Amino acid sequence: MASSRVARQAPHANKVALVTASTDGIGFAIARRLAQDGAHVVVSSRNQQNVDRAVATLQGEGLSVTGTVCHVGKAQDREQLVAT
């Protein structure tokens, strides 16, 4: 029983989640929830200011988050996202 309780508290511990279009709206909510569930989250957007704002907000909540600019239509940006 104890192990199932731990799994519910941090089901994504020791995992990394890449979330595109995650600086606002549903994408931001998904990024927040994954981080609350223990994942290290990499947020991304086409706009650096949006990335910076989202990272600052989530880190301010004590969550493990980094961010990078990524336009998913550009191969180089996708590669950088995964490298991050």
Side-chain angles (χ1 to χ4, degrees):
M1 285 245 165
S3 63
S4 65
R5 190 175 86 228
V6 170
R8 280 193 305 258
Q9 289 178 344
H12 301 301
N14 301 313
K15 306 235 188 253
V16 175
L18 305 177
V19 186
T20 59
S22 55
T23 60
D24 195 26
I26 293 170
F28 183 77
I30 291 168
R32 174 182 275 146
R33 182 55 190 254
L34 286 166
Q36 289 171 339
D37 284 349
H40 174 78
V41 177
V42 181
V43 298
S44 67
S45 173
R46 293 183 287 178
N47 181 294
Q48 184 67 54
Q49 289 177 318
N50 293 345
V51 171
D52 294 343
R53 180 181 39 80
V55 168
T57 299
L58 295 172
Q59 286 180 346
E61 296 174 11
L63 301 173
S64 178
V65 180
T66 56
T68 189
V69 171
C70 180
H71 185 298
V72 295
K74 297 179 180 178
Q76 184 176 3
D77 283 7
R78 292 190 308 267
E79 291 171 12
Q80 179 61 41
L81 174 64
V82 172
T84 298

